[in-house]
């Protein structure tokens, strides 16, 4: 037994030597790369290279629970799994290491090296997948791993990856963060750090020029609008910027200036809880181009710091034209989880162009002066400058009406499927879905400030529903009030003031007052001036005072809102006025 044991020990020693030899070779292979990176910034390498240190905070003093030195290169990222059972670490040796938290952090598995430094990792919400970003010069890779086996999951088009919900997003590569890169950039390594807020509405970015940027999430179009802040030296820039647990602050660290900065997130000003509107982050679609992203960020003097640019927080859009060396994003994010459906044409198709127009649904204009119209179930944003289309295709059924908010930021559609959809009027990204029953929604409109909208359902009561957004950005859009309407067919709804509406249709007009969550109505009187006839459209010309409606006889009726009576009538055309006529009435 003793002799056998001795022989076994010798074999184990030989195996340990082989492992140490392989590990040393890996370290030599990737150490030069990482040493070059830290040498560029004159950073002194730490002695515990490739070490993951786990500490406990359960007592008054921190104590070391585990020290794991399995990586053959510097550790670049560590994250606990959402279920708390595992700890993953990525390293410059191109591998991911997973430790079992329930077994005193024993190494449970590691991935094969991808041949370049792995810079970040993220867990899926179910703790089953790990996504990594790797880069070395112009070479980039987005990879996915099964957390149990640590085997590569090939292709983002796989059902497992395409349906994954990511607990965090700190990846600098991927469709949801393309917008943070300037339009004619020639390298992807200009971004050091990305972090998504816990509410999944914002991303904070740290670049190698010392600038920290705030953008909407997702930010899918290159050259997106951002707000910029500067507090770190431009020498190697901001190495990491993260949101705190409750999203109230951002903490950033400089790569070479040895400083830690804490930024407060201001959600509303002067008691106004308008949410992300306060950031002034306009939509980025009008700055999108099909090829490439923006120019490499450049900093000022190497020693610039927090006081150097206290007012550098204005919204910026990079509209510098690109050149032949811009980043080929189709290859950079070819394996991104969010690019799977558009890249795998064998499994799905993307609607890019629509021919046709539904005049009954109406026409509207966004803040850029671009026309919005409907065709079938698609809402089209026609880009006049480039003669291209952005398409919102989230209705799932034919569109019955289309409207835009007065400021042109938001668009609203009603559809035969029983819902109304609010989307960004510049790029066609869905913001929220509004529904108050299963019956088709016949028509819709915004109020005069764009913070409320109203719909008419095609049910037996022609239900009037009013929705609101407390924050003003419509991500929190919800039902505010509803009431049964008249039995006769209703053709339109329009806001007559901040707390008043008008609906009209077959031989009637009704004037509504909104008090809190209650709606009350009063029948309109055509009187001798008007003469009763079906009304097809309506628009407020003077808030709280005057509403103009159009009829099947081609006449325009002027209504006094206070008395709900017709005070004037003029013949506009020989024939019925279509519903879209209301879209042109602004005076």
């Amino acid at each position: 037994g003793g002799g056998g044991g001795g022989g076994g020990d010798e074999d184990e020693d030989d195996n340990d030597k082989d492992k140490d030899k392989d590990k040393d070779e890996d370290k030599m292979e990737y150490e030069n790369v990482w040493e070059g990176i830290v040498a560029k910034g004159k950073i002194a390498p730490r002695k515990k290279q490739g070490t993951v240190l786990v500490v406990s905070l359960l007592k008054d003093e921190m104590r070391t629970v585990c020290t794991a030195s399995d990586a053959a290169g510097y550790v670049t990222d560590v994250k606990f799994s959402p279920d708390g059972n595992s700890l993953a670490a990525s390293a410059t040796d191109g591998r991911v290491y997973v430790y079992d938290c329930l077994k005193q952090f024993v190494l449970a598995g590691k991935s094969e090296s991808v041949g370049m430094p792995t810079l970040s990792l993220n867990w899926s919400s179910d703790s089953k997948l790990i996504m990594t970003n790797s880069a070395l010069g112009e070479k980039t890779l987005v990879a996915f791993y099964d957390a149990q086996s640590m085997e590569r999951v090939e292709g983002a088009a796989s059902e497992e990856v395409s349906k994954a919900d990511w607990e965090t997003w700190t990846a600098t590569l991927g469709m949801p963060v393309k917008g943070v890169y300037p339009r004619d950039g020639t390298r992807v390594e200009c971004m050091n750090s990305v972090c998504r807020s816990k509410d999944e509405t914002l991303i904070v970015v740290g670049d190698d020029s010392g600038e920290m940027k705030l953008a909407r999430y997702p930010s899918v179009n290159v050259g997106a609008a951002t707000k910029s802040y500067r507090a770190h030296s431009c020498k190697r820039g901001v190495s990491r910027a993260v949101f705190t647990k409750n999203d109230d602050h951002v903490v950033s660290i400089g790569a070479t200036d040895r400083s830690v900065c804490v930024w407060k997130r201001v959600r509303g000003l002067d008691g106004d809880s308008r949410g992300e509107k306060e950031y002034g982050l306009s939509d980025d679609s009008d700055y999108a181009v099909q090829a490439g992203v923006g120019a490499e960020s450049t900093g000022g003097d190497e020693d610039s710091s927090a006081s150097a640019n206290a007012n550098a927080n204005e919204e910026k859009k990079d509209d510098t034209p690109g050149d032949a060396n811009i980043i080929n994003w189709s290859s950079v994010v070819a394996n991104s989880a969010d690019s799977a459906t558009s890249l795998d044409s064998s499994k799905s198709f993307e609607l890019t162009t629509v021919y046709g127009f539904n005049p009954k649904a109406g026409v509207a204009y966004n803040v850029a002066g671009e026309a919005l119209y409907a065709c079938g179930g698609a809402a089209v944003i026609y880009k006049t400058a480039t003669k291209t289309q952005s398409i919102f295709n989230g209705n799932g059924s034919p569109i019955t009406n289309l409207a835009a908010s007065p400021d042109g930021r938001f668009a609203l559609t009603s559809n035969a499927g029983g819902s109304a959809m609010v989307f960004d009027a510049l790029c066609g990204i869905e913001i929220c879905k509004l529904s108050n029953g299963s019956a088709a929604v016949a028509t819709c409109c915004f109020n005069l400030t764009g913070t409320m909208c109203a719909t008419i359902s095609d049910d037996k009561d022609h239900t009037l529903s009013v929705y609101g957004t407390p924050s003003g950005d419509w991500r929190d859009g919800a039902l505010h009030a509803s009431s049964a309407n008249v039995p006769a067919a209703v053709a339109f709804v329009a806001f007559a003031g901040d707390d008043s509406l008008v609906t009209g249709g077959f031989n009637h007009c009704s004037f509504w007052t909104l008090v809190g969550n209650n709606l009350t109505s009063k029948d309109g009187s055509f009187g001798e001036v008007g003469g009763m006839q079906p009304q097809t459209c309506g628009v407020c010309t003077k808030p709280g005072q005057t509403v103009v409606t159009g009829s099947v006889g081609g006449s325009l009726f002027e209504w006094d809102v206070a008395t709900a009576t017709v005070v004037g009538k003029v013949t506009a055309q020989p024939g019925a006025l279509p519903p879209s006529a209301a879209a042109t009435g602004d005076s």
Side-chain angles (χ1 to χ4, degrees), residues 461-472:
D461 294 322
H462 300 103
T463 303
L464 168 63
S465 302
V466 179
Y467 302 86
T469 169
S471 68

Side-chain angles (χ1 to χ4, degrees), residues 230-440:
R230 187 178 290 275
H232 294 285
S233 168
C234 63
K235 193 173 183 180
R236 294 295 300 158
V238 182
S239 60
R240 189 62 60 95
V242 297
F243 280 95
T244 54
K245 186 176 181 180
N246 56 8
D247 285 341
D248 286 341
H249 295 84
V250 170
V251 181
S252 62
I253 56 176
T256 59
D257 57 21
R258 299 180 181 272
S259 65
V260 178
C261 297
V262 180
W263 310 78
K264 183 178 180 180
R265 179 183 180 184
V266 181
R267 299 174 187 264
L269 299 178
D270 300 327
D272 184 2
S273 58
R274 289 176 288 174
E276 310 315 333
K277 280 175 58 179
E278 295 299 345
Y279 292 109
L281 298 174
S282 61
D283 191 81
D284 53 282
S285 64
D286 52 331
Y287 292 87
V289 287
Q290 292 183 350
V293 293
E296 172 186 347
S297 300
T298 56
D301 183 76
E302 288 186 351
D303 296 324
S304 60
S305 60
S307 61
N309 195 1
N311 297 320
N313 63 342
E314 296 184 359
E315 179 180 355
K316 295 165 57 175
K317 287 186 179 182
D318 194 318
D319 54 3
T320 308
D323 55 33
N325 296 320
I326 57 178
I327 300 169
N328 182 0
W329 272 100
S330 62
S331 61
V332 169
V333 298
N335 202 33
S336 171
D338 292 72
S339 64
T341 55
S342 60
L343 291 171
D344 189 0
S345 58
S346 65
K347 292 188 177 181
S348 62
F349 296 90
E350 180 182 357
L351 183 62
T352 58
T353 307
V354 173
Y355 296 94
F357 165 59
N358 177 11
K360 293 183 178 181
V363 178
Y365 295 88
N366 63 18
V367 68
E370 298 160 342
L372 283 73
Y373 57 92
C375 180
V380 180
I381 305 167
Y382 184 71
K383 305 287 184 180
T384 53
T386 58
K387 296 182 179 180
T388 58
Q389 297 178 346
S390 291
I391 300 170
F392 172 66
N393 199 27
N395 283 276
S397 59
I399 294 173
T400 57
N401 198 19
L402 181 148
S405 60
D407 60 5
R409 293 176 56 206
F410 306 107
L412 174 70
T413 58
S414 56
N415 59 63
S419 65
M421 309 296 297
V422 180
F423 60 95
D424 194 301
L426 278 169
C427 66
I429 294 178
E430 179 178 333
I431 298 177
C432 73
K433 179 179 180 180
L434 307 173
S435 180
N436 186 27
S438 58

Side-chain angles (χ1 to χ4, degrees), residues 492 502 509 511 524-531 533 535 537-542 545-551 555-572 577 587:
F492 74 88
V502 58
C509 267
F511 289 78
S525 174
F526 287 86
E528 295 181 357
V529 177
Q533 56 182 289
Q535 305 296 297
C537 57
V539 64
C540 177
T541 57
K542 293 182 180 179
Q545 300 180 42
T546 306
V547 167
V548 174
T549 63
S551 71
S555 297
L556 294 175
F557 291 75
E558 182 180 3
W559 296 79
D560 178 71
V561 174
T563 61
T565 58
V566 174
V567 295
K569 176 183 175 182
V570 62
T571 300
L577 287 168
S587 63

